[in-house]
């Protein structure tokens, strides 16, 4: 197996080539390794019924991947932003806002499915682009801008919903959503694969291609690696930055639509804390908060790993407290590994 | 195809059929037990899917359920914390289905989102008792039974108590709402406002959301008292917010009659606060824990062929007259 190939295949990396440093290889695949470890642990510690391993039950696997779909979609968008050394705290709130707008457009607005979905996705893109623009135009920390965006999105969601939750009922006629929308809560292929997961995986595949094979993807890495150098070599830095926030906005809106369809419900309070789960998945996936390095496959693996961990702990009836502590340990471990690699490569910090 | 009916409103009217109505579950079956594997001395796992352990009231429900389940030999209770997140809670219900628990207890964080998960449990042959909050559909058909209080009615009682006893001469009242757009917050707000309508001389001059937490309640009520110094009664949608409001009233040097909701026991609970004379009243929100374990026993141990599909546990008004005696319990 040629290590050189691996580093080429998984997109540009900011620092020295990985093939000199086995530790860097571990970091590159830390979340995949973690996922394998959790899966093996899951199999070992899984409760059994009639010799049947519950953890590997197809229904259980479907449950794991369904549960992480929404945070997964958000984490995909977040990966772009974090590679540019930015952060987006507004995504959970935008998910809530999108679920409310989706529900109210179809239920009280009488809009059809396609116009509703398009409008919500455009809203997400615009919301993100506005944040990106403010942040680049006024040289403000994205942390601050998106913190304000979080508040704004929650406020807007309450305004749109009139402080009420909106149930989505299905059928034909005014005040009802087209029954096809409920498919987001179902499973395809002989009741095995959750539709929400299909949306997540398709989005992840597109994002991986964009990040690893397009000029835009290279720009994203360049901006995060060294903004000044990127600017000098002709990368449209502002445009790239605005675009990545538009992408996270889009991702959050998509997750909000999936949420509304899965749960037949729009609520201004939904998606609270999702931004932090998504950031955790991205960091565990080996993307550096300092920017310039990261991987989409890592993010997907990190997302599924957190879901599998929560699942195996619950199957064994272990308290949520342990789950939080285990997640904390994994985040710290991931961050420490990265920092070790950076230090070896002489990047300091 | 799933069709969810419009909201919990209508479900609520069904629930308002006072007390516990005795409806036969489903069509006349040939007296099949609800759970085929039921047995007098069997071992059973009951999964409880709790909406959010972070709320003190829900912790109190967990404690009562745990205590009641301990009394029954052969019952093992597993509690999963949905952490106030419909997605997490859905996946936990699915986990219980994977584990093939013998009975599912659930307090859904919200109605519509948890409806499909409950349907999956029922389809898997697991009886579902809903505690405190309902999913969409009809008890006896879409889920086995509902046990709980009625948010709207409890708040309505508090409103009527204000109209008749606390402010018979009329005056200004205010409301602290829970988390806006959450079901119990909406129902309690509407209930109280409908209750005080009995006395035309009472105006509700301010409503603010404080998300169920005391610190936000203190801030919000301080501002209310600044804007409306003549507020005589404050209805807090839960005990935690009433505690925060008391601090605000003390800080402003005002005598305000505070009403809580939940009536939690213990030294920091609402019953104690009324007994001490800090609040005017609190209205209990019964947990239904004892009733739920009773019903589980009927289903799993006694091989019941049917159970009461709706058990509404009534609220108790905790007032200065009975608080001391109840606090001593």
């Amino acid at each position: 197996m040629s290590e050189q190939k691996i580093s080429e295949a998984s997109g540009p990396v900011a620092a020295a080539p990985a093939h000199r440093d086995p530790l860097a290889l571990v970091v590159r695949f830390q979340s995949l390794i973690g996922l394998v470890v959790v899966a093996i642990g899951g199999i070992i510690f899984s409760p059994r019924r009639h010799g049947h391993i519950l953890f590997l039950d197809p229904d259980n696997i479907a449950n794991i991947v369904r549960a992480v779909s929404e945070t997964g979609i958000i984490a995909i968008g977040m990966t772009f932003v974090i590679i540019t050394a930015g952060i987006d705290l507004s995504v959970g709130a935008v998910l809530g806002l999108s679920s409310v707008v989706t529900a109210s457009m179809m239920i009280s607005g009488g809009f059809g499915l396609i116009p509703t979905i398009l409008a919500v996705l455009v809203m997400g893109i615009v919301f993100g682009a506005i944040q990106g623009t403010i942040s680049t135009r006024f040289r403000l920390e994205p942390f601050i801008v998106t913190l304000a965006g979080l508040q704004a999105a929650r406020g807007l969601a309450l305004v749109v919903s009139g402080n009420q939750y909106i149930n989505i009922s299905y059928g034909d006629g005014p005040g009802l959503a087209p029954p096809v929308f409920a498919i987001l809560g179902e499973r395809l292929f002989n009741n095995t694969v959750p539709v929400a997961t299909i949306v997540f995986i398709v989005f992840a595949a597109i994002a991986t291609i964009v990040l690893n094979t397009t000029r835009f993807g290279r720009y994203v890495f360049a901006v995060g690696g060294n903004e000044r150098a990127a600017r000098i070599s002709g990368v449209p830095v502002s445009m790239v930055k605005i675009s990545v926030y538009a992408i996270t906005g889009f991702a959050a809106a998509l997750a909000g639509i999936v949420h509304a369809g899965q749960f037949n419900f729009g609520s201004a309070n939904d998606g609270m804390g999702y931004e932090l789960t998504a950031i955790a998945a991205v960091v565990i996936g080996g993307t550096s908060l300092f920017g310039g390095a990261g991987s989409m496959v890592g993010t997907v693996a990190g997302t599924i790993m957190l879901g599998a961990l929560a699942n195996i702990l619950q199957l064994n009836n272990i308290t949520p407290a342990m789950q939080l502590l285990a997640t904390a340990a994994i985040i710290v471990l991931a961050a420490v590994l990265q920092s070790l690699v950076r230090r070896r490569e002489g990047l300091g910090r | 195809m799933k069709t969810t009916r419009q909201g919990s409103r209508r479900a609520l009217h069904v629930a308002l059929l006072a007390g516990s109505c005795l409806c036969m579950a489903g069509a006349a079956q040939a007296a099949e037990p609800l759970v085929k594997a039921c047995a007098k001395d069997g071992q059973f796992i009951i999964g409880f899917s709790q909406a959010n352990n972070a709320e003190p009231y829900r912790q109190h429900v967990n404690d009562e359920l745990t205590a009641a389940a301990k009394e029954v030999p052969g019952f093992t209770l597993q509690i999963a914390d949905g952490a106030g997140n419909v997605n997490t809670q859905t996946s936990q219900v699915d986990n219980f289905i994977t584990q093939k628990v013998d009975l599912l207890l659930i307090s859904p964080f919200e109605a519509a989102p948890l409806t499909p998960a409950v349907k999956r449990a029922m389809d898997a042959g697991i009886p579902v008792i809903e505690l405190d909050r309902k999913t969409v559909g009809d008890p006896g058909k879409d889920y086995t039974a509902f046990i709980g209080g009625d948010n709207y009615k409890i708040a309505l009682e508090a409103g009527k108590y204000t109209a008749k006893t606390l402010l018979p001469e009329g005056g200004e009242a205010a409301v602290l709402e829970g988390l806006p757009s959450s079901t119990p917050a909406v129902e309690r707000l509407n209930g109280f406002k409908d209750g005080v309508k009995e006395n035309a001389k009472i105006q509700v001059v301010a409503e603010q959301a404080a998300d169920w937490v005391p610190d936000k309640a203190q801030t919000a009520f301080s501002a209310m008292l600044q804007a409306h110094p003549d507020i005589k009664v404050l209805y807090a949608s839960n005990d935690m917010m009433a505690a925060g409001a008391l601090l605000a009233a003390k800080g402003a040097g005002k005598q305000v009659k505070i009403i809580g909701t939940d009536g939690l026991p213990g030294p920091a609970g609402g019953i104690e606060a009324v007994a001490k004379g800090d609040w005017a009243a609190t209205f209990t929100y019964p947990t239904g824990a004892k009733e739920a374990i009773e019903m589980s026993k009927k289903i799993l141990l006694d091989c019941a062929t049917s159970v009461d599909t709706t058990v509404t546990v009534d609220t108790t008004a905790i007032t200065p007259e009975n608080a001391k005696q109840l606090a001593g319990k």
Side-chain angles (χ1 to χ4, degrees):
Chain A
M1 178 170 104
S2 146
E3 289 159 2
Q4 187 63 45
K5 263 226 161 63
I6 291 164
S7 68
E8 279 168 13
S10 51
V13 180
H19 60 273
R20 287 200 211 129
D21 187 355
L23 185 69
L25 260 188
V26 170
V27 169
R28 161 103 24 95
F29 296 108
Q30 63 184 19
S31 60
L32 283 168
I33 295 166
L35 181 57
V36 171
V37 170
V38 169
I40 292 169
I43 293 164
I44 293 171
F45 296 110
S46 167
R48 284 166 169 72
R49 204 164 264 223
H50 319 302
H52 175 77
I53 299 171
L54 287 188
F55 180 75
L56 292 180
D57 188 291
D59 276 349
N60 192 55
I61 304 283
N63 179 23
I64 293 172
V65 292
R66 186 210 60 75
V68 299
S69 299
E70 290 174 27
T71 43
I73 291 169
I74 286 178
I76 301 277
M78 189 74 83
T79 306
F80 284 100
V81 166
I82 291 182
I83 290 175
T84 66
I87 196 95
D88 187 343
L89 300 179
S90 71
V91 284
V94 173
L95 181 152
L97 171 63
S98 304
S99 80
V100 164
V101 173
T102 304
S104 70
M105 274 181 79
M106 287 196 292
I107 301 302
S108 18
F111 289 92
L113 188 61
I114 304 294
T116 301
I117 289 178
L118 287 177
V120 172
L121 292 177
V122 168
M123 179 188 77
I125 292 170
V126 170
F127 197 95
I130 289 173
Q131 295 186 111
T133 308
I134 292 173
S135 155
T136 50
R137 184 87 186 66
F138 300 104
R139 300 256 169 88
L140 296 174
E141 280 294 331
F143 187 97
I144 302 296
V145 176
T146 58
L147 189 61
L150 182 163
Q151 315 284 349
R154 287 266 174 241
L156 282 173
L158 285 171
V159 170
V160 171
S161 63
N163 283 0
Q164 300 275 341
Y165 49 91
I166 305 167
N167 283 321
I168 298 176
S169 321
Y170 297 97
D172 281 333
L176 296 169
V180 68
F181 187 57
I183 199 171
L184 285 165
E186 306 189 354
R187 294 188 197 166
L188 292 186
F189 309 117
N190 201 359
N191 203 20
T192 51
V193 186
V195 176
T197 306
I198 297 173
V199 177
F200 166 40
I201 296 302
V202 169
F203 186 48
I206 295 170
T208 308
I209 293 166
V210 168
L211 186 66
N212 294 343
T213 65
T214 65
R215 187 192 301 170
F216 174 75
R218 283 197 298 281
Y219 283 171
V220 170
F221 280 106
V223 168
N226 184 335
E227 197 177 316
R228 276 193 55 208
R231 206 182 292 278
I232 291 163
S233 55
V235 174
V237 173
S238 300
M239 206 53 234
V240 170
K241 280 188 165 179
I242 292 168
S243 304
V244 293
Y245 289 95
I247 291 172
T248 33
F250 172 88
L254 181 64
I257 293 166
V258 170
H259 186 84
Q262 269 205 95
F263 298 115
N264 319 318
F265 191 73
S267 162
N269 308 317
D270 284 353
M272 270 188 191
Y274 280 25
E275 61 280 352
L276 300 178
T277 312
I279 292 168
V282 174
V283 171
I284 291 167
T287 297
S288 164
L289 283 171
F290 296 120
S295 110
M296 208 51 87
V297 175
T299 296
V300 173
T303 304
I304 296 173
M305 180 181 120
L306 287 176
L309 182 72
N311 174 266
I312 189 62
L313 291 175
Q314 200 211 321
L315 287 182
N316 283 302
N317 199 27
I318 291 166
T319 62
M322 288 313 297
Q323 199 176 306
L324 293 166
L325 293 171
T327 309
I330 290 169
I331 293 171
V332 171
L333 184 69
V336 166
L337 275 176
Q338 272 178 27
S339 126
L340 283 175
V341 172
R342 293 182 68 82
R343 209 164 301 162
R344 284 202 197 191
E345 291 166 351
L347 292 168
R349 285 205 276 202
Chain B
M1 202 85 260
K2 289 171 287 198
T3 52
T4 42
R5 270 190 331 188
Q6 217 21 16
S8 48
R9 274 262 153 264
R10 201 166 337 155
L12 200 132
H13 291 302
V14 177
L16 282 176
L17 292 171
S20 52
C21 79
L22 214 94
C23 327
M24 287 300 291
Q29 296 152 328
E32 281 262 305
L34 290 164
V35 171
K36 286 198 183 62
C38 60
K40 252 278 159 285
D41 47 2
Q43 290 294 320
F44 296 103
I45 296 177
I46 297 174
F48 176 44
S49 168
Q50 176 61 288
N52 189 4
N53 283 357
E55 301 167 28
Y57 167 77
R58 303 207 165 273
Q59 203 49 65
H60 166 55
V61 175
N62 293 352
D63 295 345
E64 291 210 335
L65 268 177
T66 308
K70 264 212 183 77
E71 301 282 295
V72 185
F75 273 13
T76 311
L77 180 73
Q78 291 192 9
I79 299 179
D81 173 18
N85 177 329
V86 293
N87 190 17
T88 305
Q89 196 174 10
T90 298
S91 101
Q92 289 172 341
V93 172
D94 283 336
N95 284 345
F96 281 140
I97 298 169
T98 306
Q99 280 171 279
K100 297 200 170 60
V101 293
D102 299 291
L103 186 139
L104 176 70
L105 288 171
I106 180 169
S107 291
F109 186 65
E110 287 293 2
L114 269 303
T115 304
V118 166
K119 183 178 183 301
R120 283 195 289 274
M122 291 290 282
D123 290 347
I126 300 170
V128 179
I129 300 175
E130 304 202 334
L131 199 60
D132 156 46
R133 293 194 192 176
K134 294 187 180 71
T135 54
V136 181
D138 299 315
K141 184 163 125 310
D142 300 291
Y143 47 93
T144 312
F146 167 78
I147 298 174
D150 177 336
N151 279 308
Y152 177 84
K153 216 167 119 192
I154 290 168
L156 190 78
E157 293 294 325
K160 287 180 176 170
Y161 184 75
T162 305
K164 286 202 190 87
T165 314
L166 293 181
L167 276 188
E169 268 75 74
E172 293 187 350
V175 182
L176 283 174
E177 194 195 352
L179 186 67
S181 100
S182 69
T183 310
V186 173
E187 289 175 349
R188 289 180 186 184
L189 177 70
N190 294 341
F192 180 79
K193 280 166 44 182
D194 288 351
V196 290
K197 279 183 189 149
E198 288 203 355
N199 184 337
K201 288 180 293 196
I202 297 178
Q203 306 100 34
V204 177
V205 291
E207 297 165 26
Q208 283 282 320
D211 305 357
W212 309 117
V213 290
D215 54 337
K216 286 188 178 172
Q218 186 183 358
T219 312
F221 194 49
S222 297
M224 282 184 188
L225 285 171
Q226 289 284 341
H228 306 278
D230 294 333
I231 290 174
K232 294 280 177 284
V233 168
L234 170 80
Y235 173 69
S237 307
N238 73 344
D239 278 0
M240 303 288 290
M241 294 193 292
L246 178 71
L247 295 174
K250 278 188 175 157
K254 297 245 184 250
Q255 284 295 323
V256 180
K257 292 172 176 168
I258 294 172
I259 308 173
T261 314
D262 282 347
L264 295 177
I271 298 176
E272 187 62 34
V274 179
K276 280 201 308 221
D278 286 343
W279 306 353
T282 184
F283 286 74
T284 62
Y285 189 81
T287 64
K290 272 197 200 69
E291 291 81 354
I293 296 297
E294 252 334 287
M295 189 180 280
S296 306
K297 255 166 72 182
K298 275 191 194 132
I299 294 171
L300 297 172
L301 303 182
D302 307 341
C303 294
T305 52
S306 70
V307 287
D308 296 353
T309 52
T310 300
V311 179
T312 306
V313 200
D314 278 332
T315 181
T316 312
I318 309 284
T319 58
E321 290 81 54
N322 63 359
K324 282 203 170 62
Q325 159 208 354
L326 287 164
K329 268 192 190 170

